[in-house]
Amino acid sequence: MESNFFEQRTDLQELQEAVFTLRSEIGKVIIGQEQMVELLLAAILADGHVLIEGVPGVAKTLTAKLLSRSISVDFSRIQFTPDLMPSDVIGTSVFNPKDSQFEFRRGPIFSNIVLIDEINRAPAKTQAALFEVMEERQITMDGTTYVLDNPFMVVATQNPIEQEGTYHLPEAQLDRFLFKILVSYPTQEQELQILQNQHANNMATMVDQVTHVLNHQQIESLRLQVRKIHIEEKLLHFITAITTNTRTNKSIYLGASPRASIGIMNAAKAIAAMEGRDFVTPEDIVKVATPVLRHRITLSPEKEMEGITTDEVVSQIIQSIEVPR
């Protein structure tokens, strides 16, 4: 037992070093935004997709690009617009006159890390094209299934301010995102440092300094370690108590699905591993519950009119449940 314990701690040491190096590489360019970076790294380890929401100019897209640059995997970027068609995302069948047959030309979604800018600017038909690929990591076209390579992660951004020319994301699609990360403005000190960095080096030079840290085999190995993180039965009850409360809470019109419970568990495991622990604590669950749930619940019209946010409701739910010790 003792040797197995120390062996697992050694494995987590490698994971911690990888996370520290990834943070350092991204930190060469990004100042502040620690929570966004931490949750992005946790999503990679938990094999989940991420939706990032924030006003323009707070480094949402840049952070996603730096994340892909620090990992030696394929990267593609899709700018969602109102005239974007599903075939522009997943690909289309093209007639080959040489063989007198149709052949499938893969779209930009066939990559390892896919950045979707302004995801809420594409219509429902294009949004629906993401349903299968985000959940099952595969595309079905003309009766043929094309499986995507691992790892596969969608990092989507949206602007909460400009609503003209945008579309509401379907609840079924929102449920496929592990986290919704809210990005705020930097502090005055952080913004000063951003200016100093920009004055000393141009953006292209700073981005070029970011180097590969992990490859896809290493990511799969780290994910396997995260899945083996221990979580006690009482903590599973704590997670289910939180999610089932969202379905009976009078402030909530639409509660969280069982996928949310799985998301909280997997995300808590990733956070625990990032902190060098081979077990989940209640604090890990509390830490990830809000970013996992905030996009999965819909408030009642009365609460929306009162200006109550989903974050406030989730916080009230957690406070109302006895934390296991």
Side-chain angles (χ1 to χ4, degrees):
M1 288 292 291
E2 188 173 355
S3 62
N4 290 337
F5 174 80
F6 283 108
E7 183 181 354
Q8 190 170 6
R9 302 301 289 188
T10 303
D11 290 340
L12 291 180
Q13 180 82 27
E14 293 179 15
L15 186 146
Q16 275 191 291
E17 290 174 359
V19 168
F20 175 80
T21 310
L22 282 170
R23 277 182 170 145
S24 300
E25 290 299 312
I26 296 173
K28 291 178 180 178
V29 182
I30 300 298
I31 306 300
Q33 307 296 6
E34 289 85 0
Q35 186 191 43
M36 174 171 60
V37 174
E38 181 181 37
L39 292 178
L40 277 171
L41 297 180
I44 290 176
L45 295 174
D47 192 14
H49 309 296
V50 173
L51 176 63
I52 307 176
E53 182 177 283
V55 297
V58 290
K60 303 185 300 295
T61 300
L62 178 60
T63 303
K65 290 173 64 177
L66 292 174
L67 176 67
S68 67
R69 188 177 179 87
S70 61
I71 300 174
S72 181
V73 293
D74 290 336
F75 170 76
S76 64
R77 176 178 177 179
I78 311 172
Q79 182 70 47
F80 269 27
T81 55
D83 60 348
L84 197 73
M85 298 296 292
S87 58
D88 297 325
V89 177
I90 64 176
T92 186
S93 294
V94 178
F95 184 73
N96 187 341
K98 289 183 179 180
D99 303 330
S100 297
Q101 292 181 346
F102 284 92
E103 61 181 35
F104 181 60
R105 296 282 178 87
R106 300 188 175 201
I109 199 70
F110 283 87
S111 192
N112 296 118
I113 296 181
V114 180
L115 170 61
I116 300 179
D117 255 335
E118 297 188 279
I119 189 172
N120 56 339
R121 291 203 176 275
K125 191 174 183 179
T126 304
Q127 299 291 352
L130 296 173
F131 281 22
E132 180 184 14
V133 67
M134 288 182 66
E135 179 64 20
E136 302 175 44
R137 270 67 168 177
Q138 67 181 32
I139 292 291
T140 302
M141 175 66 69
D142 297 330
T144 303
T145 298
Y146 303 90
V147 179
L148 278 73
D149 296 331
N150 282 324
F152 174 71
M153 178 182 185
V154 171
V155 180
T157 70
Q158 68 177 19
N159 179 355
I161 305 301
E162 297 178 19
Q163 297 304 321
E164 185 175 349
T166 63
Y167 300 83
H168 176 72
L169 295 184
E171 279 71 19
Q173 183 179 2
L174 287 171
D175 201 31
R176 283 161 166 77
F177 286 101
L178 175 62
F179 293 133
K180 180 180 180 181
I181 305 173
L182 302 183
V183 185
S184 59
Y185 287 114
T187 64
Q188 185 172 345
E189 293 75 15
Q190 290 170 344
E191 193 156 350
L192 175 60
Q193 191 174 349
I194 292 171
L195 291 177
Q196 292 170 339
N197 290 353
Q198 288 283 332
H199 177 64
N201 298 289
N202 61 47
M203 180 58 66
T205 301
M206 289 190 292
V207 171
D208 288 340
Q209 293 174 355
V210 177
T211 58
H212 294 323
V213 175
L214 295 174
N215 56 38
H216 66 277
Q217 293 97 341
Q218 291 171 310
I219 292 175
E220 288 302 308
S221 175
L222 296 181
R223 285 178 173 177
L224 183 60
Q225 294 175 32
V226 169
R227 285 195 289 270
K228 293 179 179 178
I229 296 296
H230 177 70
I231 180 168
E232 294 186 10
E233 186 77 18
K234 60 183 180 181
L235 294 184
L236 296 178
H237 286 288
F238 183 43
I239 293 172
T240 55
I242 294 172
T243 51
T244 53
N245 192 300
T246 66
R247 301 165 199 163
T248 58
N249 195 292
K250 294 181 179 179
S251 300
I252 298 175
Y253 172 72
L254 178 66
S257 71
R259 190 186 279 133
S261 297
I262 297 171
I264 293 175
M265 180 185 69
N266 291 339
K269 286 183 177 183
I271 292 294
M274 289 167 64
E275 295 183 0
R277 286 181 279 103
D278 58 0
F279 58 92
V280 174
T281 66
E283 289 72 23
D284 298 326
I285 294 170
V286 172
K287 189 172 190 176
V288 301
T290 299
V292 170
L293 292 173
R294 61 164 57 111
H295 56 294
R296 288 182 160 99
I297 62 177
T298 302
L299 298 183
S300 65
E302 295 80 13
K303 291 300 178 182
E304 287 187 343
M305 291 179 64
E306 292 175 14
I308 303 296
T309 65
T310 55
D311 285 19
E312 292 172 338
V313 175
V314 171
S315 178
Q316 292 170 4
I317 289 173
I318 295 173
Q319 292 174 9
S320 68
I321 300 171
E322 184 178 357
V323 178
R325 295 296 175 189

